Amino acid sequence: VEFLYCDLASMKSIRQFVQRFRAKNCPLHVLVNNAGVMLVPERKTEDGFEEHFGLNYLGHFLLTNLLLDTLEQSGTHSHNARIITVSSATHYVGKLHLNDLQSRYSYSPHGAYAQSKLALVLFTYRLQHLLTANGSHVTANVVDPGVVNTELYKHVFWVVKVVKWMTAWLFFKTPEQGASTSIYAAVSPEMEGVGGCYLYNEERTKSADVAYDEDLQRRLWTESCKMVGISDESSRVP
């Protein structure tokens, strides 16, 4: 195991990380996008993005796009490189406000978090479409880890924290259990060559209906490229 620092809330840090990784000339067979914050008070990243959207979504969007070349070079016909992005069941109630992705007009921690998790699902489906269109030996899937007992809940109300403390052993997954579906997506032979899936408890399941809206997927991708400052090469793909 080798550690390389990367702050997903900083576009500069992400670009520096990618430079350091590429300098090692290593193949990249699996990328797991797992960083995140939840229900944080209204605040911005150093790039001026609302924190849920900037860290949970845009950070992973930029990181994945900057590493795509390496992933495509690493994948083969019999052993595809794999991209796994961790979303949440919260995406089912999420709404994507393309005219206000930064929640500037009306901020709600729950709404901003749900929007970021919906964006990750839309991103994954669009990414898989582009990978398939380009004939890339790379697959992209999105994972719902379930309700996991981690520090992600540190910003919830104190009453919820007490209830969580009392019931975690019964209703919450351990971090190891929460990671199982991501590991399944990353290494299972059953997922070889399979992309564009929403996975829960190591099984393919249906995501929110709005996540399958291809026009919304395209529009979010185009807007995301503008926000992180990369060219939108997907514009040539229907």
Side-chain angles (χ1 to χ4, degrees), residues 27-59:
L28 179 57
H29 299 107
V30 177
L31 171 65
V32 181
N33 292 318
N34 185 57
V37 293
M38 183 175 78
L39 308 184
V40 296
E42 186 174 11
R43 59 195 189 196
K44 292 179 171 57
T45 67
E46 66 177 46
D47 301 290
F49 301 124
E50 186 278 314
E51 191 169 4
H52 290 99
F53 197 77
L55 194 161
N56 294 3
Y57 170 66
L58 286 177

Side-chain angles (χ1 to χ4, degrees), residues 19-201:
Q19 286 181 341
R20 290 194 297 268
F21 179 78
R22 283 180 169 171
K24 293 179 175 294
N25 292 315
C26 293
L28 179 57
H29 299 107
V30 177
L31 171 65
V32 181
N33 292 318
N34 185 57
V37 293
M38 183 175 78
L39 308 184
V40 296
E42 186 174 11
R43 59 195 189 196
K44 292 179 171 57
T45 67
E46 66 177 46
D47 301 290
F49 301 124
E50 186 278 314
E51 191 169 4
H52 290 99
F53 197 77
L55 194 161
N56 294 3
Y57 170 66
L58 286 177
H60 292 121
F61 179 86
L62 178 61
L63 178 67
T64 302
N65 273 280
L66 294 181
L67 290 173
L68 264 184
D69 286 349
T70 307
L71 284 157
E72 290 175 333
Q73 292 164 11
S74 305
T76 66
H77 178 72
S78 58
H79 291 89
N80 281 217
R82 305 185 188 190
I83 301 168
I84 297 92
T85 297
V86 180
S87 181
S88 161
T90 312
H91 91 274
Y92 286 105
V93 297
K95 294 183 179 180
L96 194 78
H97 302 284
L98 276 172
N99 61 337
D100 186 26
L101 292 172
Q102 304 302 318
S103 303
R104 291 193 177 100
Y105 298 120
S106 177
Y107 182 78
S108 157
H110 293 83
Y113 176 71
Q115 176 178 244
S116 71
K117 291 300 179 178
L118 174 59
L120 289 170
V121 183
L122 289 158
F123 156 65
T124 299
Y125 291 164
R126 180 59 179 168
L127 176 59
Q128 182 58 54
H129 178 80
L130 298 174
L131 291 168
T132 301
N134 292 331
S136 301
H137 296 310
V138 183
T139 59
N141 290 294
V142 61
V143 164
D144 175 0
V147 183
V148 187
N149 188 14
T150 69
E151 290 299 309
L152 196 62
Y153 296 85
K154 64 183 179 182
H155 292 289
V156 299
F157 294 123
W158 68 268
V159 175
V160 178
K161 289 182 180 179
V162 172
V163 173
K164 173 180 175 290
W165 177 76
M166 295 174 62
T167 62
W169 64 275
L170 182 61
F171 298 112
F172 284 63
K173 293 182 178 181
T174 65
E176 290 79 11
Q177 291 169 332
S180 65
T181 302
S182 293
I183 295 170
Y184 171 79
V187 301
S188 171
E190 296 172 22
M191 294 302 296
E192 177 56 48
V194 179
C197 298
Y198 185 85
L199 302 170
Y200 176 65
N201 284 345

